[in-house]
Amino acid sequence: MGNKYEFWFVVGSQHLYGPSVLEEVANHSKIMTDEFNKSRNIPFNVCFKGVVTTTDEITSLLTKANNTSNCAGVITWMHTFSPSKMWIRGLDLLEKPYLHITTQYNREIPYELIDMNFMNTNQSAHGDREHGFISARLRKKRKIISGFWEDETMRCRIGDWMRSAVGAVFSRQVKVMRLGDNMRYVAVTEGDKIQAEKKLGWSVNSYGVGSFANMVKKVTNEQLVAKMREYREKYIIDTTNLESIEYQATLEVALEEMIVDGGFHAYTNSFEDLYELDQLPGLASQNIMSKGIGFGAEGDWKTAALESIMSEMSKGLTKGLSFIEDYTYNFKKDNESILGAHMLEVSPAIAIDKPKIQVHDLSIGGRKAPARLVFKAKTGNAILVTIIDMGGRFRMIVHDITAITPEHDMPNLPVAYAMWKPMPDMNTGNEAWIRCGGTHHSVISYDLTAQHMKDFAEIMGIECIHINKKTTIDELKMTLAMGDLIYK
Ligand code: MN
């Protein structure tokens, strides 16, 4: 999977040590690059871009990184000492995600052999501090990871950061197709689309539901047959109402055409604005979501864009993510939990087993009964993520949760669902999320962690609140108050 994005490995040094030391530094860097690329914990290709020793070289390389579309980030390391005034121009211009690794080619000090020559060649502790200063002085957004480069724990952290960096680079090109506006009178799905494009790179634009309805009419029988075959292969058909499934199939074919034609990464619709459509897309949206397209119901373009980004960040991971909504509390004593679902649209990517296609009435929207996928979601550690518009700034909220198996089946529930326990406990978790202004809509991911999202938010320069097992309301209040000062 590593071909689409690459990370540039740039090693700093200077001419003071003579050509043979620079050669040794380059050789070590090449060995490290090869070993990184063999590690299963490093999901993207690392490209060694040379040992840099002058201001012009550094400026030219880092501006080239900016202009190389598949370069998702720059990783720097100082094998020796690289005077950091050489880095000012280049780092100041650098727009790509930036990771400074602090490591050393030799694991241990060779006590018997170490002399001045060895120390001059292996002085990362020295060089990395000089490099760290200039990034701090420039107020450069960056990640710093220290560890021994052969250890998989360090490589895991590099790999995790790479996913955040990919999210950031992907975010800057996200295009969202909106079919209809937001659900009337709903506040949390609103937001400043100009600021979203400036800050997060999202191009969010509206397209007529009428033109979508016209596309639906043009779906050919051949396309319909192919889509029905896809449904039969992936899902269990648990209804005799094939007409409803076929209608969803035509909706999906038309949606896919619009998404591909427009180069979109995410889309929204609204049950209040269906024009000539007979059904709200249910199965259609669910199946599209499972292919990595972001979705937001009721015009929720922020969650749609976020889902597409988290999907890109999760490439190669298998536990899945989905659009989800907090629905119903279960206040059973000592076993409290939250039931998450949506009126239709939960992605089968998080299904615990093969989803069933069923047809049920939808009590709102006033259209025909839509076919939808019904299933239980996976269990285990997961996160809920949302982005809200605070007016003047965006706030990301990440909540650590544990998805659980419900105590009993819910045979009358006609939708896909997940059940979870919020951290640190039911009441603190709810109070924290609600105090932050967290949405009812969010993205649930079983693969990504809060660290992935925090690093993403830092690269994008947006506020990020992490509700976790240590969260207290007093501390959260302080963090939110500080955010109001920092993000003015
Ligand atoms: Mn909703």
Side-chain angles (χ1 to χ4, degrees):
M1 67 161 298
N3 292 336
K4 191 172 166 190
Y5 298 104
E6 60 183 37
F7 287 81
W8 289 15
F9 187 35
V10 181
V11 177
S13 192
Q14 61 178 331
H15 284 291
L16 204 66
Y17 313 111
S20 67
V21 168
L22 290 180
E23 226 169 86
E24 195 183 350
V25 168
N27 281 337
H28 287 168
S29 306
K30 276 179 209 151
I31 293 167
M32 286 167 68
T33 304
D34 289 346
E35 294 303 313
F36 283 157
N37 285 329
K38 282 182 206 159
S39 169
R40 65 192 160 82
N41 291 316
I42 296 202
F44 301 98
N45 212 29
V46 178
C47 303
F48 176 51
K49 289 288 168 181
V51 180
V52 291
T53 52
T54 68
T55 305
D56 289 346
E57 208 178 359
I58 292 165
T59 308
S60 148
L61 187 61
L62 297 188
T63 48
K64 201 168 156 199
N66 287 343
N67 296 320
T68 305
S69 61
N70 66 338
C71 170
V74 170
I75 303 172
T76 60
W77 172 53
M78 306 299 122
H79 190 306
T80 52
F81 191 87
S82 177
S84 279
K85 281 164 78 179
M86 288 179 193
W87 289 78
I88 295 173
R89 281 189 208 161
L91 281 180
D92 206 34
L93 293 168
L94 181 65
E95 290 159 358
K96 289 290 166 91
Y98 164 34
L99 166 67
H100 174 195
I101 57 169
T102 169
T103 187
Q104 184 167 275
Y105 186 72
N106 273 66
R107 185 189 282 270
E108 292 178 25
I109 288 174
Y111 291 102
E112 286 295 320
L113 300 173
I114 190 165
D115 56 11
M116 209 55 215
N117 188 43
F118 181 93
M119 204 159 72
N120 270 337
T121 313
N122 298 279
Q123 53 168 320
S124 304
H126 183 201
D128 280 331
R129 276 162 177 74
E130 169 73 0
H131 191 69
F133 165 72
I134 204 63
S135 297
R137 173 65 181 82
L138 295 171
R139 272 74 173 174
K140 201 70 197 165
K141 281 181 210 135
R142 80 267 196 220
K143 176 84 175 176
I144 303 164
I145 298 178
S146 170
F148 186 61
W149 63 278
E150 282 188 327
D151 289 346
E152 292 303 324
T153 46
M154 185 200 195
R155 293 176 178 180
C156 277
R157 293 183 67 204
I158 295 175
D160 285 348
W161 172 82
M162 283 175 158
R163 292 188 181 280
S164 310
V166 161
V169 168
F170 181 78
S171 183
R172 289 175 184 143
Q173 53 164 52
V174 160
K175 289 168 80 176
V176 183
M177 171 176 80
R178 307 185 73 219
L179 296 174
D181 205 330
N182 294 51
M183 181 178 166
R184 287 186 280 274
Y185 304 109
V186 172
V188 79
T189 52
E190 290 289 352
D192 181 343
K193 300 189 203 77
I194 294 174
Q195 191 62 16
E197 185 149 359
K198 179 178 179 291
K199 201 71 202 166
L200 297 158
W202 305 348
S203 172
V204 184
N205 290 290
S206 177
Y207 295 81
V209 183
S211 58
F212 171 47
N214 285 336
M215 297 276 288
V216 172
K217 283 182 205 154
K218 288 181 194 149
V219 171
T220 66
N221 194 49
E222 207 178 2
Q223 288 173 306
L224 173 63
V225 168
K227 187 55 72 184
M228 288 297 284
R229 194 183 311 124
E230 184 186 333
Y231 289 163
R232 281 199 184 87
E233 281 164 12
K234 290 161 88 171
Y235 310 120
I236 298 161
I237 295 189
D238 188 27
T239 174
T240 52
N241 188 348
L242 289 184
E243 199 187 319
S244 178
I245 304 178
E246 283 169 358
Y247 190 71
Q248 289 287 329
T250 58
L251 290 177
E252 185 178 342
V253 170
L255 273 169
E256 271 182 329
E257 278 183 359
M258 288 183 85
I259 288 166
V260 170
D261 288 352
F264 297 111
H265 307 96
Y267 94 101
T268 69
N269 60 25
S270 169
F271 67 87
E272 285 175 337
D273 190 357
L274 292 174
Y275 189 63
E276 290 175 345
L277 301 177
D278 287 342
Q279 298 176 22
L280 175 65
L283 169 58
S285 292
Q286 291 176 293
N287 198 46
I288 285 179
M289 237 192 288
S290 72
K291 295 171 186 173
I293 298 294
F295 171 76
E298 293 105 44
D300 186 352
W301 51 271
K302 295 196 295 302
T303 306
L306 178 64
E307 188 183 3
S308 73
I309 292 162
M310 289 174 68
S311 185
E312 190 75 1
M313 288 166 72
S314 311
K315 284 275 162 70
L317 304 175
T318 53
K319 287 184 270 183
L321 57 77
S322 177
F323 174 82
I324 197 91
E325 180 167 271
D326 298 76
Y327 236 104
T328 303
Y329 291 133
N330 182 33
F331 275 113
K332 179 167 184 191
K333 208 162 174 46
D334 300 322
N335 197 19
E336 297 93 342
S337 59
I338 297 175
L339 177 67
H342 203 259
M343 63 171 86
L344 297 173
E345 311 92 335
V346 180
S347 171
I350 63 167
I352 201 160
D353 44 28
K354 204 170 184 179
K356 290 177 178 165
I357 301 178
Q358 295 181 354
V359 179
H360 302 276
D361 276 328
L362 195 63
S363 51
I364 46 180
R367 301 293 164 120
K368 286 188 186 163
R372 84 286 306 271
L373 295 169
V374 178
F375 57 86
K376 279 186 213 170
K378 290 169 187 166
T379 57
N381 292 335
I383 52 170
L384 296 177
V385 188
T386 189
I387 291 181
I388 56 169
D389 186 332
M390 286 297 289
R393 76 175 190 273
F394 291 102
R395 171 183 288 163
M396 175 181 278
I397 307 158
V398 185
H399 201 159
D400 291 345
I401 59 167
T402 309
I404 58 163
T405 307
E407 277 181 303
H408 302 286
D409 280 343
M410 291 174 262
N412 291 310
L413 196 64
V415 289
Y417 63 87
M419 197 174 236
W420 62 79
K421 290 176 175 292
M423 296 281 179
D425 58 72
M426 179 75 162
N427 294 329
T428 314
N430 283 332
E431 288 171 22
W433 182 269
I434 288 167
R435 175 163 293 279
C436 291
T439 40
H440 46 269
H441 289 167
S442 58
V443 180
I444 183 172
S445 169
Y446 294 76
D447 289 309
L448 298 176
T449 64
Q451 193 61 55
H452 289 112
M453 302 318 300
K454 285 194 274 190
D455 285 342
F456 168 81
E458 191 176 339
I459 297 168
M460 304 316 289
I462 63 168
E463 184 183 19
C464 183
I465 307 290
H466 178 204
I467 305 167
N468 58 77
K469 62 176 190 236
K470 292 179 185 163
T471 295
T472 65
I473 299 300
D474 282 344
E475 213 176 341
L476 179 68
K477 280 181 179 173
M478 281 302 294
T479 308
L480 295 175
M482 270 194 294
D484 277 336
L485 297 174
I486 296 165
Y487 295 93
K488 253 181 187 166

